[in-house]
Amino acid sequence: MKKLVLVGAGGHCKVMIEAIDRAEYVIAGILDGFAELGTEVCGIPVIGSDEEAEGLLKKGITHAAISLVGNLKLRRELLYKYKKLGFQFPRIIHSAASVSGSAQLGEGAVILAGARVNAEAVIGDYATVNTGAVVEHEVNIGENSHVAPGSILLGGVSVGKDTLVGAGSIVLQMTQIGDGCTIGAGSVVTRSLKAGSTAFGNPARLKE
């Protein structure tokens, strides 16, 4: 069995712990610079901070998963740091998720409980499709993006990298969402958004 360390001891860590296939991975512990050493999250202890990462790798803990989604910039920084050290990032698919056989999942992609990824969808490296989200046919989600719980991306939608689709949002078919965008919770996106946009509401409007 492969040994894996989680990075980040917040609430999302609990969801990740329950999603990881324990028949394939042993969770060796959690790294978090703000949590007290020995604190347990769903029975998994905090064993140190980022400073211990290289030492863990030398001990044979070769896989990592970033267990935070609220700050995509910080998440990307951590991904780069751990990849540079030599960690591998497995795909994590909850047993209660549904993923089409024709879908493509990148390195480190995470699909959580109740999520549906349909025909010929592409989930980029390190992207997260969170609890109960629906990614319809031929949707393309970019690297390190987060489709929050209950969101629905209709057919042919394209989402750039480092983008947040807020909880319960709907993105209408064929809409193009650029890199680094933020879509507020409960929004209905009816038209394409340029990179760096923040939009919210029904219909979604750009934040001024």
Side-chain angles (χ1 to χ4, degrees):
M1 293 175 69
K2 302 167 188 174
K3 295 181 180 179
L4 177 147
V5 65
L6 288 162
V7 182
H12 189 68
C13 182
K14 299 176 182 181
V15 181
M16 292 288 285
I17 289 169
E18 293 187 349
I20 291 167
D21 184 354
R22 301 299 185 90
E24 186 173 2
Y25 295 98
V26 173
I27 303 176
I30 303 165
L31 296 181
D32 190 305
F34 298 98
E36 185 177 349
L37 195 67
T39 300
E40 290 193 353
V41 180
C42 294
I44 305 298
V46 173
I47 58 175
S49 63
D50 291 337
E51 284 69 28
E52 279 69 55
E54 188 170 3
L56 293 178
L57 190 64
K58 291 176 180 178
K59 293 178 181 179
I61 300 172
T62 56
H63 290 69
I66 308 299
S67 48
L68 60 90
V69 290
N71 184 331
L72 294 179
K73 181 180 178 182
L74 174 59
R75 181 181 169 83
R76 178 171 285 282
E77 290 172 357
L78 290 168
L79 285 164
Y80 281 160
K81 177 176 182 175
Y82 280 74
K83 276 194 69 68
K84 187 175 181 180
L85 287 172
F87 282 92
Q88 300 174 53
F89 289 84
R91 300 177 186 88
I92 295 173
I93 304 172
H94 194 287
S95 60
S98 173
V99 178
S100 167
S102 64
Q104 299 177 44
L105 273 57
E107 178 185 18
V110 176
I111 315 296
L112 293 175
R116 297 186 64 88
V117 178
N118 286 334
E120 297 185 358
V122 178
I123 312 299
D125 293 346
Y126 323 117
T128 299
V129 180
N130 215 322
T131 309
V134 176
V135 176
E136 268 298 347
H137 59 89
E138 302 165 284
V139 169
N140 193 314
I141 298 173
E143 181 179 299
N144 192 43
S145 284
H146 177 205
V147 180
S151 298
I152 301 174
L153 277 56
L154 298 181
V157 165
S158 176
V159 176
K161 64 182 181 181
D162 302 319
T163 284
L164 168 64
V165 180
S169 295
I170 300 173
V171 183
L172 297 190
Q173 59 267 23
M174 305 306 295
T175 303
Q176 310 292 300
I177 309 296
D179 296 342
C181 289
T182 299
I183 297 170
S187 298
V188 178
V189 182
T190 61
R191 59 182 180 177
S192 296
L193 299 174
K194 294 180 180 179
S197 297
T198 297
F200 55 89
N202 181 7
R205 299 185 184 277
L206 294 175
K207 180 180 179 180
E208 297 181 357

